[in-house]
Amino acid sequence: MRPTVHDIAAAAGVSLATVDRVLNRRPGVKAATRARVEAAISDIGYERDMAAANLAKGRVYSFLFILPSGDNSFMRGLEARVREAMQRAAVDRVAISLVTVPPFDPAALAEALDAAEQARPAGVAVVAVDAPEVEAAALRLKDAGVPLVTLVSDLPAHCRSHFAGIDNIAAGRTAGGLMRRFIGPGRGRVAVLAGSMRVIDHRERLEGFRAAMGEAGHEILPVLEAQDDPAEAERLVGALLSQSREISGIYSLGAGNRGLIAALRGQPSFRPRAVIAHELTAHTRLALEAGLIDAVLNQDAGHEVRSAIRVLKARADGVAVIEAQERIRIDIFLKDNLPFAEGEAEAPARSPDAA
């Protein structure tokens, strides 16, 4: 059942009026009380009903989302969440437009940001590529007074208003901790698959992963960059596995998981002791169930899109953001705790030794 303001009030030990003041960023609440309410919001996972919150407002907010094109499963899921928000536009009093650009293409992304500067929407949300031309375009947008929220993949903090995504260094450390446990004692050789090291989220995940794995003395091999291309990911991982039987683990920093899975299926006589990936999609779910992947770290794309919209509204109105509400959690899925797939009423029956 979805948490309500009554649950917040009970958890924080305050009145509904105090909860309302905090949610609507009104004065008259002591700092300690406000912190207690915001902690309760975070602990119970409350997300505000934007339709009800905006019912009395006459303003329509024009927001632009810029996403990478291509067949990256997670990005297409993110796009689906944006389109769901577009369908709620009239109720939420927003007008959302969507633009896609080629993945990992700084010039195309900078051009899209410059076009946004000319259009002057109330705010922009973008899956960023960290490159000088993109940073320059983001700063031009900022100078024009248009709030910018980075989504999933970040830019340096001075270039944007807010980041709607997980703590990627923490995600990498989490993956490293799991990898150490899965592969066990002894010095192991661990492969890393990335889309591109031009995106901050992949670099930060690798930083956290290296820190956690370094504590155990494992060797991290040079990163394989597949540019989110499943065929290239399959080729790179397949070549690595065919050349060496000393690979203890594989960590996939982002997309390309279909290629990774295909490469693992193509080496039935050898499997690393641990394979860890990001994002629960139809492909990684099946791989978890089949035992090809051991753990998946996931971020809630829907929460990120809703968070971006809330933050852009707050920036457009010049009010504070409730940080606890916008914190995106890291979920860890194993074969044993997979949530039901969309449309699944109950867990499908399987024999105990089914793959």
Side-chain angles (χ1 to χ4, degrees):
M1 185 175 177
R2 185 173 181 171
T4 68
V5 291
H6 295 273
D7 298 318
I8 298 172
V14 299
S15 67
L16 287 174
T18 299
V19 173
D20 182 73
R21 289 190 188 96
V22 173
L23 288 174
N24 289 288
R25 306 172 182 90
R26 290 197 294 267
V29 182
K30 293 179 180 178
T33 303
R34 186 178 297 275
R36 197 161 71 247
V37 172
E38 291 187 353
I41 290 171
S42 177
D43 290 343
I44 69 175
Y46 174 82
E47 288 188 37
R48 197 172 185 191
D49 186 337
M50 296 306 297
N54 288 306
L55 197 59
K57 292 183 178 180
R59 181 178 182 183
V60 175
Y61 302 80
S62 60
F63 297 142
L64 171 66
F65 279 74
I66 305 175
L67 306 182
S69 58
D71 63 355
N72 178 321
S73 299
F74 176 76
M75 290 302 169
R76 299 289 65 80
L78 186 71
E79 180 179 343
R81 304 292 84 76
V82 173
R83 294 193 182 280
E84 288 174 2
M86 293 168 74
Q87 293 173 3
R88 298 192 304 269
V91 176
D92 289 345
R93 299 189 182 278
V94 297
I96 297 175
S97 54
L98 173 64
V99 170
T100 59
V101 297
F104 310 124
D105 188 333
L109 183 52
E111 184 178 342
L113 289 171
D114 283 336
E117 180 195 349
Q118 297 301 314
R120 297 292 175 91
V124 175
V126 60
V127 176
V129 175
D130 185 27
E133 55 265 57
V134 175
E135 292 182 23
L139 288 172
R140 288 192 291 271
L141 197 65
K142 181 179 179 181
D143 290 342
V146 179
L148 177 66
V149 169
T150 49
L151 196 65
V152 180
S153 184
D154 205 2
L155 286 171
H158 70 278
C159 297
R160 44 74 170 167
S161 304
H162 182 83
F163 172 53
I166 59 174
D167 180 337
N168 283 295
I169 292 178
R173 289 193 66 89
T174 301
L178 289 170
M179 185 69 74
R180 292 202 319 268
R181 288 168 174 77
F182 286 149
I183 67 178
R187 182 176 172 82
R189 303 182 76 222
V190 179
V192 177
L193 175 67
S196 170
M197 299 312 290
R198 298 189 74 165
V199 290
I200 285 182
D201 58 323
H202 287 198
R203 295 205 304 270
E204 289 184 339
R205 289 174 189 177
L206 181 59
E207 177 186 342
F209 183 74
R210 278 178 169 158
M213 293 299 291
E215 295 167 2
H218 296 294
E219 179 187 359
I220 309 300
L221 300 178
V223 177
L224 306 173
E225 294 187 63
Q227 304 300 315
D228 282 4
D229 181 347
E232 180 65 2
E234 180 179 2
R235 185 189 70 80
L236 290 171
V237 175
L240 180 69
L241 294 179
S242 64
Q243 293 166 8
S244 174
R245 290 293 187 266
E246 297 178 357
I247 305 300
S248 300
I250 299 176
Y251 175 37
S252 176
L253 297 173
N257 288 323
R258 278 177 292 160
L260 166 64
I261 294 164
L264 293 169
R265 289 189 185 280
Q267 298 283 339
S269 62
F270 170 72
R271 185 188 178 283
R273 278 177 276 171
V275 178
I276 298 173
H278 278 266
E279 317 315 347
L280 187 65
T281 66
H283 304 286
T284 53
R285 168 186 284 273
L286 289 174
L288 275 171
E289 292 175 339
L292 293 171
I293 291 178
D294 298 283
V296 170
L297 279 64
N298 188 64
Q299 55 191 315
D300 186 337
H303 188 181
E304 288 169 333
V305 170
R306 294 189 297 272
S307 177
I309 293 171
R310 281 193 298 265
V311 170
L312 288 174
K313 282 185 176 181
R315 298 298 185 190
D317 289 339
V319 297
V321 171
I322 301 177
E323 295 295 341
Q325 191 177 19
E326 312 312 337
R327 191 173 299 117
I328 311 298
R329 71 173 184 264
I330 302 168
D331 293 317
I332 302 172
F333 291 111
L334 310 176
K335 179 179 180 178
D336 306 296
N337 73 332
L338 278 171
F340 295 155
E342 188 173 345
E344 219 177 17
E346 57 181 297
R350 291 188 180 88
S351 63
D353 57 350

